[in-house]
Amino acid sequence: MSGKLYLCATPIGNLGDVSSRCLEVLGAVDLIAAEDTRRTLQLLNHFEISKPLTSYHEHNKHEKGGYIISLLQNGKNVALVSDAGTPAISDPGEDLVRLCIENEIEVTSVPGPVAGINALILSGLPTKRFAFEGFLSVNKRHRKEHLDAVKNDTHTLIFYEAPHKLKNTVSDMQKAFGGDRKIALVRELTKLHEEVKRCTLDEAAAFYEENNPRGEYVIIVEGAAEADIPAENEWDGISIREHVEKYIAEGLSSKDAVKKAAADRNLPKRDVYNEYHRGE
Ligand code: SAM
């Protein structure tokens, strides 16, 4: 009979947040697969748990996945732990879960901290409807596409970010969502320097021009206001030229009208400019 995979949530900063059930499971399984074995060893040492550890992370998940599945198929019980928080949330755990399902191996969860959810509840922004957006890509074009794809979402958005990329991310969000949008920058959750900065994107961009972000961050962004969402594809039935002319008739300069029409249509400004001036 196959063993079981336990997805064990571990603290995101405060060791006191580990559940007694998590410690019980870590002490009982045959093997612990950890995203960061050194970090997990600190947790195990603190609670005097001695267990075989193996690494399972983004760069070895293919070969290690097969190895862990073979152990599970041979009746061993395995615990999966992330470097912090809940496995399979922005870490390769989701691949192992999928492999277990494909191989008809039982998976269960031992719940605990998740940075995104704790940041959301501290943000003061609506919690009724929200979406987890994870990390933005490091690729500039993919980041823009991601932000453009969610800019009209009316629910609250949750992003993870590394401190050295925070300044650029806030600036990209300011461009995509507009400077008035509210955000909460939640850092160092459950740690000594836990802090929540609640402000607008304009204020956050100005703040990080002067201050270097330090520590781990979750960014919570207010959803779009219904009033700010353009009517669904209102420009679908009009030509690019008519689209630009509509903004000029509303009082914009031709340069700004081209810029706005390009943003509406998610097209490069140059294409809209050329189309507008074609045949002149
Ligand atoms: N599995 C984790 C979870 O359950 O939240 C997330 C892992 S993800 C690789 C790491 C990211 O989570 C960090 O870059 C940061 O955005 C966020 N994070 C983790 N711990 C945090 C903390 N104590 N305070 C704020 N953000 C944290």
Side-chain angles (χ1 to χ4, degrees), residues 75-95:
K76 304 286 185 209
N77 290 316
V78 178
L80 178 68
V81 297
S82 179
D83 65 350
T86 296
I89 298 297
S90 286
D91 79 12
E94 69 168 282
D95 294 86

Side-chain angles (χ1 to χ4, degrees), residues 108-181:
T108 189
S109 73
V110 182
V114 188
I117 295 296
N118 283 281
L120 173 70
I121 62 174
L122 291 177
S123 69
L125 293 170
T127 58
K128 209 168 186 174
R129 289 181 58 233
F130 60 87
F132 177 66
E133 298 294 333
F135 288 95
L136 290 173
S137 166
V138 287
N139 176 294
K140 227 174 158 198
R141 185 166 60 87
H142 293 162
R143 288 166 77 78
K144 185 171 181 320
E145 282 169 2
H146 187 161
L147 293 174
D148 283 345
V150 298
K151 73 178 177 192
N152 291 329
D153 289 353
T154 51
H155 48 251
T156 304
L157 303 170
I158 304 174
F159 294 89
Y160 282 170
E161 195 47 287
H164 62 284
K165 296 197 204 122
L166 191 95
K167 194 171 144 183
N168 279 343
T169 295
V170 166
S171 156
D172 290 347
M173 286 178 170
Q174 184 191 23
K175 284 181 205 130
F177 302 150
D180 292 339
R181 197 81 81 90

Side-chain angles (χ1 to χ4, degrees), residues 11 29 39 54 78 84 86 105 107 115 144 185 193 195 240 280:
V29 290
R39 198 155 170 181
T54 192
V78 178
T86 296
I105 290 163
V107 185
K144 185 171 181 320
L185 295 120
H193 298 293
E195 188 181 46
I240 288 183
E280 271 184 358

Side-chain angles (χ1 to χ4, degrees), residues 11-267:
I12 53 172
N14 187 327
L15 286 183
D17 292 334
V18 73
S19 75
S20 54
R21 185 164 158 245
C22 179
L23 295 177
E24 205 178 291
V25 169
L26 293 177
V29 290
D30 299 293
L31 176 75
I32 300 172
E35 192 182 7
D36 180 342
T37 48
R38 271 184 308 180
R39 198 155 170 181
T40 301
L41 197 57
Q42 283 170 4
L43 177 82
L44 297 179
N45 287 343
H46 183 86
F47 291 102
E48 298 178 353
I49 295 171
S50 170
K51 274 289 149 183
L53 267 178
T54 192
S55 67
Y56 177 79
H57 50 65
E58 196 53 43
H59 306 293
N60 71 0
K61 64 182 182 187
H62 296 300
E63 61 271 26
K64 269 301 170 68
Y67 167 69
I68 293 169
I69 292 294
S70 68
L71 290 178
L72 287 158
Q73 284 171 329
N74 283 320
K76 304 286 185 209
N77 290 316
V78 178
L80 178 68
V81 297
S82 179
D83 65 350
T86 296
I89 298 297
S90 286
D91 79 12
E94 69 168 282
D95 294 86
L96 192 56
V97 172
R98 205 167 22 244
L99 266 185
C100 284
I101 295 166
E102 280 163 17
N103 287 279
E104 296 181 6
I105 290 163
E106 201 180 335
V107 185
T108 189
S109 73
V110 182
V114 188
I117 295 296
N118 283 281
L120 173 70
I121 62 174
L122 291 177
S123 69
L125 293 170
T127 58
K128 209 168 186 174
R129 289 181 58 233
F130 60 87
F132 177 66
E133 298 294 333
F135 288 95
L136 290 173
S137 166
V138 287
N139 176 294
K140 227 174 158 198
R141 185 166 60 87
H142 293 162
R143 288 166 77 78
K144 185 171 181 320
E145 282 169 2
H146 187 161
L147 293 174
D148 283 345
V150 298
K151 73 178 177 192
N152 291 329
D153 289 353
T154 51
H155 48 251
T156 304
L157 303 170
I158 304 174
F159 294 89
Y160 282 170
E161 195 47 287
H164 62 284
K165 296 197 204 122
L166 191 95
K167 194 171 144 183
N168 279 343
T169 295
V170 166
S171 156
D172 290 347
M173 286 178 170
Q174 184 191 23
K175 284 181 205 130
F177 302 150
D180 292 339
R181 197 81 81 90
K182 284 186 196 156
I183 68 164
L185 295 120
V186 187
R187 69 180 276 265
E188 296 290 84
L189 277 159
T190 76
K191 302 183 198 173
L192 189 62
H193 298 293
E194 177 178 292
E195 188 181 46
V196 186
K197 183 169 179 55
R198 302 176 184 92
C199 57
T200 63
L201 271 163
D202 275 348
E203 287 162 346
F207 180 83
Y208 290 109
E209 275 306 317
E210 303 292 326
N211 300 278
N212 281 331
R214 288 220 191 108
E216 297 197 273
Y217 281 85
V218 179
I219 307 174
I220 309 291
V221 185
E222 177 186 39
E226 294 283 357
D228 292 342
I229 303 173
E232 203 177 332
N233 294 337
E234 68 181 279
W235 46 85
D236 262 2
I238 59 173
S239 68
I240 288 183
R241 192 178 176 86
E242 287 166 336
H243 195 165
V244 175
E245 279 167 351
K246 172 177 111 61
Y247 284 134
I248 293 174
E250 286 173 14
L252 293 190
S253 67
S254 64
K255 189 174 165 218
D256 286 343
V258 164
K259 196 169 155 192
K260 207 159 180 332
D264 288 346
R265 290 174 181 253
N266 211 7
L267 287 173

